[in-house]
Amino acid sequence: MFLALVVTPELRQFLARARGGAARLIKVCIKDEQLVLGAYREPQQDWDQDYDHFLLPLLDAQEPCYILYRLDSQNALGYEWIFISWSPDQSPVKQKMLYAATRATVKKEFGGGHLKYEMFGTTEEDICLQGYQHHVLSCSGPAPLTLAEQELQRIKITESWVKQVKTEISVESKHQTLQGLAFPLQESAKRSLHLLAQKRINYVQLRLDVEKETIELVHSNPTETRDLPRRVPKDTPRYHFFLYKHSHEGDYLELVVFIYSMPGYSCSIKERMLYSSCKSRLLEEVERDYHLEIAKKLEIDDGDELTEEFLYDEVHPKQYAHKQAFAKPRGPAGKRGHKRLIKGAGQAIQDS
């Protein structure tokens, strides 16, 4: 729906001449319920050099307007133009509504085939040269995807990456299947795991070096249970081995807990796939070669989950009593009354 205001003869004639390239910029305003020529500028340099120099001084912070700006590119009809609707926040609501309702009239009068881009702005940042460049990029980008389309896209990317990884894993790797990649441990990581097995340290954090295809030690600083949330990075995966010292039902226990932290989709698909695939082989090696008995294996996406209560409940899950199935009550003892037999059609009903 649009409002058909009167276009003055002066504006109509000027637009006809300007389409041939005589003008770089045309400002159209509404005066006395008519569309009038507000201002114009002739080209001096290339379109991008003229842009801010011509456009920004013509913008009124209190009054809307239309701007037609000529590019140097051409299509089958002639020069290509940008159509800009300027509607500042400070302008009266009635003016905003009037200009919004008249936009189609201006475009029709000028000729929609000449317009390459259409922009709307309430601040100078929206329609300055940088704003225009951002607008062009957004127009050339893919359309927004629905949640279902996003999930399908992630699946396709993951499948294609799996195929790629199967061919990219180097021949030096012990195993070449994603079901159980085995990157070798660096010496510093091996020493720390030995110390953890001897209970001389209580925490080891490891990371994957994707380029070298190795597992490296990040650090083995002394760590209490309350320190665990701070040990988990927010933007990258990690493997953690923690010696959990605590009391349970009157007994003092020191149990090794393995924590695999993966902060969701902030990590690349390649990282997620590699960390997930190396995890099982790492645990096998740790339990076999370093005699570390893993009491509990956890997977988290945020370090804030690692509270004292959470860790205790995971290591010692609460036991619930077996709930007895519902038993159907027995009927009353003794004689249950006469049976009644229903005869066929036309026969009497008799008591047995």
Side-chain angles (χ1 to χ4, degrees):
M1 180 177 180
F2 62 92
L3 184 65
L5 296 183
V6 176
V7 179
T8 62
E10 177 192 11
L11 175 60
R12 182 173 285 114
Q13 294 172 7
F14 186 83
L15 292 178
R17 294 196 305 270
R19 282 193 290 267
R24 172 68 76 190
L25 178 148
I26 308 167
K27 179 179 180 180
V28 179
C29 304
I30 299 177
K31 300 292 184 183
D32 301 325
E33 298 186 357
Q34 290 184 317
L35 289 166
V36 301
L37 177 64
Y40 70 93
R41 298 289 184 269
E42 296 178 351
Q44 293 182 357
Q45 304 180 72
D46 292 338
W47 75 268
D48 53 342
Q49 295 174 306
D50 285 340
Y51 193 95
D52 283 343
H53 177 64
F54 284 170
L55 175 66
L56 298 183
L58 294 179
L59 301 179
D60 189 329
Q62 303 293 328
E63 185 177 354
C65 69
Y66 305 112
I67 299 289
L68 289 156
Y69 190 88
R70 179 176 70 77
L71 302 171
D72 291 336
S73 58
Q74 298 188 37
N75 60 22
L77 299 177
Y79 284 103
E80 295 180 312
W81 294 70
I82 308 169
F83 180 70
I84 303 172
S85 298
W86 170 247
S87 183
D89 292 332
Q90 294 82 3
S91 57
V93 175
K94 185 177 179 180
Q95 285 284 87
K96 293 180 182 179
M97 295 178 63
L98 181 61
Y99 273 85
T102 315
R103 182 166 57 241
T105 301
V106 179
K107 292 167 59 178
K108 182 179 179 181
E109 185 68 33
F110 185 73
H114 296 276
L115 303 178
K116 185 173 184 179
Y117 294 107
E118 182 175 349
M119 298 171 59
F120 175 83
T122 59
T123 65
E124 290 186 358
E125 289 76 14
D126 294 335
I127 58 176
C128 66
L129 181 59
Q130 187 175 10
Y132 166 73
Q133 291 168 342
H134 288 164
H135 175 75
V136 172
L137 286 175
S138 66
C139 291
S140 60
L145 302 177
T146 64
L147 291 177
E149 290 172 334
Q150 292 175 14
E151 184 63 26
L152 181 60
Q153 185 183 56
R154 281 196 291 267
I155 291 172
K156 289 181 178 179
I157 292 174
T158 301
E159 289 176 347
S160 64
W161 189 85
V162 167
K163 295 177 182 178
Q164 178 184 354
V165 167
K166 286 182 178 179
T167 58
E168 286 185 354
I169 298 299
S170 67
V171 294
E172 288 82 8
S173 296
K174 294 181 180 179
H175 301 274
Q176 297 184 8
T177 60
L178 280 177
Q179 287 74 13
L181 290 176
F183 287 177
L185 286 159
Q186 282 196 333
E187 288 303 317
S188 58
K190 293 180 179 179
R191 287 194 297 269
S192 295
L193 289 172
H194 273 301
L195 293 174
L196 180 65
Q198 299 168 6
K199 299 184 179 180
R200 295 170 61 184
I201 61 175
N202 72 337
Y203 178 77
V204 175
Q205 183 178 135
L206 304 176
R207 62 176 289 270
L208 297 185
D209 188 323
V210 178
E211 299 299 325
K212 297 179 182 177
E213 297 182 2
T214 58
I215 301 177
E216 297 183 341
L217 173 70
V218 179
H219 70 81
S220 56
N221 298 335
T223 300
E224 302 297 329
T225 305
R226 63 177 179 273
D227 301 325
L228 283 176
R230 298 195 299 271
R231 296 285 191 249
V232 179
K234 299 288 187 183
D235 57 351
T236 185
R238 287 288 188 268
Y239 300 131
H240 313 257
F241 293 88
F242 176 59
L243 186 61
Y244 181 35
K245 302 176 182 181
H246 63 289
S247 296
H248 174 63
E249 297 180 349
D251 296 328
Y252 175 74
L253 302 175
E254 294 184 351
L255 304 177
V256 176
V257 177
F258 172 75
I259 304 167
Y260 168 41
S261 61
M262 171 60 68
Y265 286 98
S266 61
C267 305
S268 68
I269 293 176
K270 186 174 184 179
E271 276 189 308
R272 294 202 301 272
M273 294 292 293
L274 284 177
Y275 271 85
S276 177
S277 302
C278 289
K279 178 182 62 175
S280 60
R281 301 308 297 264
L282 170 64
L283 290 174
E284 288 177 12
E285 182 178 354
V286 165
E287 292 178 324
R288 182 187 66 244
D289 298 343
Y290 301 92
H291 308 292
L292 270 174
E293 183 179 351
I294 308 298
K296 187 66 179 180
K297 301 168 186 175
L298 302 176
E299 183 171 341
I300 62 170
D301 53 22
D302 193 323
D304 294 337
E305 299 176 40
L306 294 175
T307 62
E308 179 78 41
E309 180 181 5
F310 170 80
L311 198 59
Y312 184 87
D313 289 343
E314 289 292 325
V315 175
H316 304 289
K318 295 177 181 178
Q319 301 295 326
Y320 295 95
H322 176 67
K323 187 176 181 181
Q324 186 176 3
F326 173 75
K328 180 179 180 181
R330 298 183 62 184
K335 194 172 181 180
R336 303 181 65 181
H338 296 294
K339 297 180 181 178
R340 304 190 68 188
L341 299 178
I342 301 176
K343 302 297 183 179
Q347 297 180 8
I349 300 177
Q350 301 177 355
D351 290 337
S352 60

